[in-house]
């Protein structure tokens, strides 16, 4: 039996690029069908992440024109990670494999062939990995590389230079649905599920049309989420730092007592001020990091839904 593939495509204000890339996705499905790699029941599932432009209308038109296209719409904009999750969870009971991919044509659609081949060879997760970052700016390239190193140092298991272009089998998604956290960093969560996995390399291109929705602010928020939702090492580091500073302070106290007993104490305004400033700074950073985790706990405890689907294209009902 040939596997049913669902291509999951998150879209947010993508009216400029969707008409172009939807054709590419459809052609890829048809090619894979013709090569007998996937079933004729395979589909492209668009997830409109609460777009404010005509994206949803375009998705509805595509679905009316060709049964390969399906769409769901989030009740409001919730961000890329939640949109991908909504698509994966909605698709998991209808298919055997999913491939999540951005809708802007940056990720090489042709890498899907190798991903599906890897699935046929027994892999349940196939990570799409960028072989080069030539199209990224120098700033993005260096910060991204530094960030992956930082993640590794924090004990977070991620695949270097992998974003959210990946094949995941429905078997893995069934297990993944038990991961209930609301702070999502999908690329760091899938390695935790386990199962046989591999990587497929591809060149990342420029956006075909439209503009990026990931400004520096959102990128930094995702970066912090990545660390705080998958690692508690920063808390250990604060403890370690606290112990070191406590030890140094203890030595300082002994030293000042000895100096005072020797009668050589002088009004040490400068040293006093520096020590107070240093300790104040260290404590504030410590409290800030603790606050990050408490904020995350606060959100987790509330357990609010991670996505809300408000509309579906015709004939597409959840199971
Ligand atoms: N996206 C989304 N919700 C958002 C922001 C982005 O679903 O709030 C989608 C977007 O339509 C695209 C993908 O996430 O398919 C990646 O976004 P983008 O290309 O803007 O990010 P970049 O590639 O520049 O990091
Ligand atoms: Mg993009």
């Amino acid at each position: 039996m040939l596997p049913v593939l669902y291509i999951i495509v998150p879209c947010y204000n993508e009216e400029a690029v969707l008409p172009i890339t939807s054709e590419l996705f459809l052609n890829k499905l048809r090619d894979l069908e013709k090569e007998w790699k996937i079933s004729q029941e395979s589909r492209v599932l668009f997830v409109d992440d609460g777009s404010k432009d005509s994206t949803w209308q375009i998705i509805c038109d595509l679905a009316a024109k060709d049964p390969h296209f399906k769409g769901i719409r989030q009740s409001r904009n919730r961000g890329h990670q939640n949109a991908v999750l909504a698509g994966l969870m909605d698709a998991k009971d209808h298919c055997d494999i999913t491939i999540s991919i951005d809708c802007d044509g940056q990720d090489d659609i042709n890498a899907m062939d190798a991903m599906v081949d890897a699935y046929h060879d027994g892999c349940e997760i196939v990570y799409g990995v960028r072989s080069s970052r030539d199209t990224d700016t120098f700033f993005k390239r260096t910060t991204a590389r530094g960030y992956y190193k930082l993640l590794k140092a924090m004990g977070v298991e991620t695949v270097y230079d992998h974003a959210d272009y990946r094949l995941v089998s429905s078997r893995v998604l069934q297990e993944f649905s038990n991961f209930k956290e609301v702070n999502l960093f999908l690329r760091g969560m899938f390695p935790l599920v386990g199962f046989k996995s591999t990587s497929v390399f591809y060149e990342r291109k420029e956006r075909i049309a439209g503009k990026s929705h990931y400004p520096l602010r959102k990128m930094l928020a995702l970066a912090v989420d990545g660390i705080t939702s998958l690692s508690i090492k920063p808390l250990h580091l604060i403890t370690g730092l606290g112990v070191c500073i406590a030890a140094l302070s203890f030595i300082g106290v002994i030293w000042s007592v000895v100096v005072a007993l020797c009668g050589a104490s002088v009004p040490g305004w400068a040293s006093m001020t520096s020590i107070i400033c240093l300790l104040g700074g260290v404590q504030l950073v410590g409290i800030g990091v603790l606050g990050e985790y408490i904020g995350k706990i606060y959100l987790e405890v509330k357990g609010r839904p991670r996505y809300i689907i408000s509309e579906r294209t015709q004939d597409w009902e959840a199971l």
Side-chain angles (χ1 to χ4, degrees), residues 10 12 14 49 77 80 102-104 106 204 207 212-213:
Y12 178 55
E14 298 285 11
D49 189 19
N77 179 243
H80 173 232
D102 292 352
C103 80
D104 55 8
Q106 282 194 278
R204 189 156 154 105
R207 227 175 200 281
S212 169
H213 305 98

Side-chain angles (χ1 to χ4, degrees), residues 109-122:
I109 291 170
N110 293 323
M112 286 187 190
D113 295 74
M115 288 182 169
V116 173
D117 288 346
Y119 172 77
H120 283 292
D121 289 342

Side-chain angles (χ1 to χ4, degrees), residues 51-281:
S51 298
K52 293 178 183 67
D53 64 3
S54 62
T55 299
W56 180 242
Q57 194 49 52
I58 295 173
I59 293 172
C60 291
D61 293 347
L62 286 169
K65 221 169 57 190
D66 193 304
H68 279 98
F69 290 121
K70 304 272 174 210
I72 54 177
R73 186 177 204 195
Q74 296 233 69
S75 59
R76 51 159 294 169
N77 179 243
R78 292 291 305 271
H80 173 232
Q81 298 288 295
N82 297 66
V84 174
L85 182 76
L88 292 175
M89 290 300 116
D90 214 59
K92 74 178 190 316
D93 298 319
H94 297 266
C95 64
D96 301 299
I97 36 178
T98 58
I99 295 182
S100 52
I101 184 168
D102 292 352
C103 80
D104 55 8
Q106 282 194 278
D107 299 320
D108 184 7
I109 291 170
N110 293 323
M112 286 187 190
D113 295 74
M115 288 182 169
V116 173
D117 288 346
Y119 172 77
H120 283 292
D121 289 342
C123 291
E124 302 275 345
I125 306 180
V126 186
Y127 300 101
V129 177
R130 299 169 194 188
S131 54
S132 79
R133 278 181 172 270
D134 294 344
T135 53
D136 280 353
T137 58
F138 174 76
F139 176 76
K140 182 144 187 183
R141 200 161 49 228
T142 29
T143 47
R145 293 250 146 98
Y147 180 61
Y148 280 104
K149 290 207 176 103
L150 182 65
L151 278 179
K152 198 160 177 218
M154 292 291 150
V156 179
E157 198 188 320
T158 45
V159 177
Y160 191 69
D161 266 354
H162 159 68
D164 280 299
Y165 184 20
R166 79 177 84 73
L167 176 148
V168 183
S169 72
S170 59
R171 198 170 148 213
V172 169
L173 288 174
Q174 294 297 349
E175 301 301 332
F176 188 74
S177 62
N178 295 320
F179 285 58
K180 301 287 185 201
E181 61 234 67
V182 296
N183 295 289
L184 296 174
F185 189 65
L186 297 175
R187 68 191 76 167
M189 290 163 69
F190 276 107
L192 298 176
V193 189
F195 290 93
K196 191 174 171 197
S197 66
T198 187
S199 297
V200 160
F201 295 86
Y202 69 96
E203 294 244 345
R204 189 156 154 105
K205 296 176 260 181
E206 301 273 8
R207 227 175 200 281
I208 293 182
K211 60 177 176 28
S212 169
H213 305 98
Y214 261 98
L216 190 61
R217 179 181 51 81
K218 272 198 195 171
M219 237 156 58
L220 284 176
L222 183 68
V224 172
D225 267 0
I227 295 173
T228 52
S229 60
L230 291 160
S231 165
I232 52 165
K233 228 172 184 169
L235 296 176
H236 293 165
L237 289 178
I238 297 180
T239 315
L241 190 67
V243 170
C244 290
I245 292 180
L248 283 176
S249 317
F250 185 65
I251 296 169
V253 169
I254 294 175
W255 173 72
S256 56
V257 170
V258 170
V259 170
L261 286 180
C262 296
S265 60
V266 283
W269 180 84
S271 56
M272 207 51 143
T273 314
S274 337
I275 290 169
I276 291 172
C277 289
L278 177 76
L279 284 184

